[in-house]
């Protein structure tokens, strides 16, 4: 409990508490004794009644009644004593709490002192804001240096990456043989003839070039 | 002190309890040592069950511990003493200890005296007490010795109803370990504070 661990000493409070607890124990013992007595009186009363001795039975019962009253009285005293004891113990706990609060406050104060007061903090915060503004300015300057071309390249790269990740978007494959009209077929034949003519021309050019070089 | 506390369940006697030769110490060394061992275990479990912390030999002889009425066999005082002496020795694991009562030595000799039965040794009790205090958050709280033994808070513990003298010995162990301090406030009652 708080600071009590630091001192293995018995304080005056401990002794006072012990006194109270001893008192309580004594009351408990007294109650035990009385309880034994009441039980005995009860037994005596029963015995006397069995023998037909009403007067003595009555007497025993009267004694029992009186002793029960004593028990009740001691009960009240016991409650009082116990309450007082727990009050004292609780006060000790409170003392511990207070001590803890004191220590904490002292430490907090010390830390504040090390931080150097409100002005210092304000100054530091001001400097901090300034420095941040400065940094922002630099960042802006640097960001503007980025040319349009660079930006384009960045975007291209991004797209390439996306393509890589998702794969190219392909059209649906046809499900049936294409059907052509006669005009289309004629058109296709013409296209083919043209392409071949172009290819032939290109070949001739290629053959001609090495000679030029 | 053969006042057996209220027993909730009947004690289970070991099988050798109904074996007549068990009640006579055997002369052969090997038999004897195993017999002593059995007696020691039996006495300890019997005392644990009935929460007996010390025995008065002369009274104990007529209790079911040493007297099997169904067999009408009884352990002789001499043999009982031999068993307890063996229990008190290092071989017996110091599970018993004769209580010396100083001046009346002669009288004790004749009637066998009183013996602690350590089904838990004071060091083990000390551990129990420390655990209990720890478990119930009573560190740094002043406790009276009476409270520990008779209080409502410890009624369910094994040390409830413990012999005051034994409690004092056990607490002495705690004190030696630096876990507790015994003190009194000038009055008669002693208190203990655990750390």
């Amino acid at each position: 409990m708080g600071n009590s661990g630091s001192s293995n000493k018995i304080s005056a409070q401990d002794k006072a508490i012990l006194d109270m607890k001893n008192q309580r124990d004594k009351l408990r013992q007294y109650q035990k004794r009385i309880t034994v007595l009441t039980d005995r009186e009860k037994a005596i009363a029963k015995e006397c009644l069995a023998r037909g001795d009403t007067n003595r039975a009555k007497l025993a019962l009267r004694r029992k009644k009186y002793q029960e009253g004593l028990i009740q009285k001691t009960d009240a005293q016991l409650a009082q004593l116990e309450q007082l004891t727990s009050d004292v113990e609780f006060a000790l706990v409170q003392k511990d709490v207070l001590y803890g609060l004191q220590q904490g406050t002292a430490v907090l104060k010390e830390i504040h002192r090390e931080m150097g007061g409100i002005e210092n903090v304000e100054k530091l915060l001001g400097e901090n804001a300034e420095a941040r503004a400065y940094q922002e300015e630099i960042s802006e300057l640097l960001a503007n240096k980025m040319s349009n071309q660079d930006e384009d390249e960045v975007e291209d790269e991004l797209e390439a990456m996306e393509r890589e990740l998702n794969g190219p978007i392909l059209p649906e494959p046809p499900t049936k043989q294409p059907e052509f009209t006669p005009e289309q077929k004629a058109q296709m034949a013409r296209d083919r003839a043209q392409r071949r003519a172009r290819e032939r021309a290109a070949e001739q050019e290629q053959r001609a070039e090495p000679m030029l070089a | 002190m053969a006042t057996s506390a209220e027993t909730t369940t009947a004690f289970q006697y070991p099988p050798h309890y109904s074996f007549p030769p068990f009640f006579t110490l055997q002369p052969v060394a090997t038999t004897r040592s195993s017999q002593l061992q059995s007696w020691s275990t039996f006495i300890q479990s019997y005392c644990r069950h009935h929460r007996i912390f010390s025995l008065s030999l002369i009274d104990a002889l007529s209790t079911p511990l040493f007297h099997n009425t169904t067999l009408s066999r009884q352990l002789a005082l001499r043999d009982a003493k031999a068993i307890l002496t063996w229990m008190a020795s290092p071989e017996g694991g110091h599970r018993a200890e004769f209580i010396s009562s100083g001046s009346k030595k002669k009288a004790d000799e004749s009637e066998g005296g009183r013996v602690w039965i350590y089904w838990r040794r004071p060091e083990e009790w000390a551990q129990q007490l420390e655990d209990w205090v720890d478990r119930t958050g009573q560190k740094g709280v002043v406790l009276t010795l009476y409270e520990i033994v008779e209080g409502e808070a410890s009624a369910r513990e094994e040390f409830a109803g413990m012999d005051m003298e034994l409690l004092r010995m056990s607490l002495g162990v705690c004190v030696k370990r630096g876990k507790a301090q015994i003190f009194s406030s000038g009055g008669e009652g002693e208190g203990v504070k655990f750390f």
Side-chain angles (χ1 to χ4, degrees):
Chain A
M1 230 187 276
N3 62 335
S4 58
S6 57
S7 59
N8 278 14
K9 287 267 170 58
I10 300 302
S11 61
Q13 286 112 333
D14 287 341
K15 288 193 174 177
I17 292 173
L18 177 65
D19 271 341
M20 280 188 282
K21 289 201 167 172
N22 271 331
Q23 212 59 51
R24 180 201 60 192
D25 290 349
K26 263 187 217 156
L27 274 179
R28 285 251 171 85
Q29 271 164 310
Y30 179 70
Q31 279 192 333
K32 230 184 233 176
R33 203 167 70 219
I34 298 283
T35 315
V36 170
L37 279 183
T38 49
D39 286 350
R40 201 193 297 151
E41 298 291 358
K42 206 171 163 188
I44 288 173
K46 249 185 204 162
E47 242 174 67
C48 292
L49 209 60
R51 270 191 279 119
D53 196 344
T54 331
N55 271 340
R56 297 194 79 172
K58 227 185 207 170
L59 196 66
L61 282 180
R62 225 174 266 143
R63 273 205 300 267
K64 177 174 162 267
K65 190 85 205 146
Y66 173 68
Q67 279 150 359
E68 276 171 354
L70 280 184
I71 289 188
Q72 267 174 13
K73 267 182 219 159
T74 44
D75 261 338
Q77 283 173 0
L78 208 56
Q80 230 168 14
L81 208 51
E82 258 166 15
Q83 203 184 344
L84 186 62
T85 316
S86 38
D87 279 352
V88 170
E89 274 177 345
F90 186 63
L92 279 178
V93 172
Q94 276 180 329
K95 200 185 86 181
D96 278 349
V97 171
L98 193 68
Y99 180 80
L101 283 177
Q102 235 170 26
Q103 293 288 304
T105 315
V107 170
L108 207 55
K109 263 188 193 157
E110 177 67 20
I111 292 169
H112 285 160
R113 206 178 50 74
E114 276 169 23
M115 291 198 318
I118 294 273
E119 307 91 59
N120 201 13
V121 173
E122 269 174 5
K123 205 175 106 200
L124 189 69
L125 280 180
E127 277 169 15
N128 185 14
E130 250 170 57
R132 272 209 331 253
Y134 191 67
Q135 175 61 36
E136 231 157 75
E137 221 169 289
I138 291 172
S139 305
E140 221 162 281
L141 280 175
L142 284 178
N144 284 348
K145 282 276 161 60
M146 197 79 100
S147 66
N148 263 342
Q149 197 198 343
D150 287 342
E151 283 291 332
D152 282 348
E153 273 175 18
V154 166
E155 262 166 47
D156 283 349
E157 204 179 340
L158 184 72
E159 262 170 46
M161 245 185 237
E162 273 176 351
R163 260 206 304 284
E164 220 171 90
L165 280 177
N166 303 332
I169 299 154
L170 295 172
E172 288 287 308
T175 48
K176 56 185 181 186
Q177 205 70 26
E179 280 167 29
F180 300 114
T181 54
E183 292 106 77
Q184 275 176 325
K185 279 185 183 160
Q187 178 69 38
M188 275 160 64
R190 248 177 286 140
D191 283 349
R192 250 177 276 159
Q194 269 177 9
R195 204 175 62 229
R196 253 174 264 142
R198 253 182 286 142
E199 278 171 1
R200 238 170 279 139
E203 252 173 63
Q204 271 175 359
E205 241 174 84
Q206 275 211 328
R207 239 173 269 155
E209 267 178 14
M211 272 188 263
L212 279 174
Chain B
M1 193 171 61
T3 51
S4 54
E6 66 275 32
T7 47
T8 41
T9 49
F11 179 69
Q12 278 285 324
Y13 286 97
H16 41 255
Y17 183 71
S18 35
F19 181 54
F22 187 55
F23 289 86
T24 320
L25 273 190
Q26 302 301 307
V28 184
T30 47
T31 327
R32 191 183 172 95
S33 84
S34 87
Q35 195 184 9
L36 286 170
Q37 190 59 58
S38 315
W39 264 111
S40 168
T41 335
F42 170 50
I43 291 174
Q44 280 177 53
S45 53
Y46 180 87
C47 289
R48 183 192 288 262
H49 185 262
H50 293 283
R51 290 185 178 280
I52 297 167
F53 297 92
S54 68
L55 286 176
S56 166
L57 257 189
I58 203 72
D59 291 340
L61 279 180
S62 51
T63 62
L65 175 61
F66 292 133
H67 187 188
N68 188 338
T69 40
T70 47
L71 288 180
S72 67
R73 284 286 177 145
Q74 187 174 4
L75 199 68
L77 176 61
R78 196 166 48 86
D79 288 349
K81 217 164 170 184
I83 290 167
L84 290 167
T85 315
W86 182 82
M87 279 172 77
S89 71
E91 296 164 77
H94 295 291
R95 287 290 158 185
E97 190 184 332
F98 282 91
I99 305 169
S100 61
S101 50
S103 56
K104 294 185 291 169
K105 192 114 192 191
K106 204 96 187 264
D108 281 349
E109 285 289 309
S110 59
E111 67 186 24
R114 273 162 51 79
V115 193
W116 291 118
I117 304 297
Y118 290 144
W119 42 275
R120 261 211 184 91
R121 295 188 42 71
E123 300 90 80
E124 289 155 3
W125 280 118
Q127 194 54 50
Q128 286 265 315
L129 288 164
E130 280 167 27
D131 288 349
W132 172 67
V133 166
D134 214 19
R135 204 171 57 226
T136 48
Q138 299 194 89
K139 276 191 177 176
V141 178
V142 178
L143 297 167
T144 59
L145 298 199
Y146 179 82
E147 182 178 2
I148 293 176
V149 173
E150 305 282 343
E152 287 146 14
S154 64
R156 290 180 177 281
E157 303 299 323
E158 278 202 302
F159 48 81
M162 189 177 181
D163 193 278
M164 262 305 174
E165 201 53 46
L166 183 57
L167 176 68
R168 222 168 260 142
M169 283 201 280
S170 311
L171 287 174
V173 176
C174 294
V175 172
K176 244 182 229 155
R177 288 184 191 159
K179 292 280 180 66
Q181 191 163 344
I182 299 181
F183 64 104
S184 68
S185 62
E188 61 272 51
E190 277 178 302
V192 64
K193 189 174 168 182
F194 280 86
F195 306 116

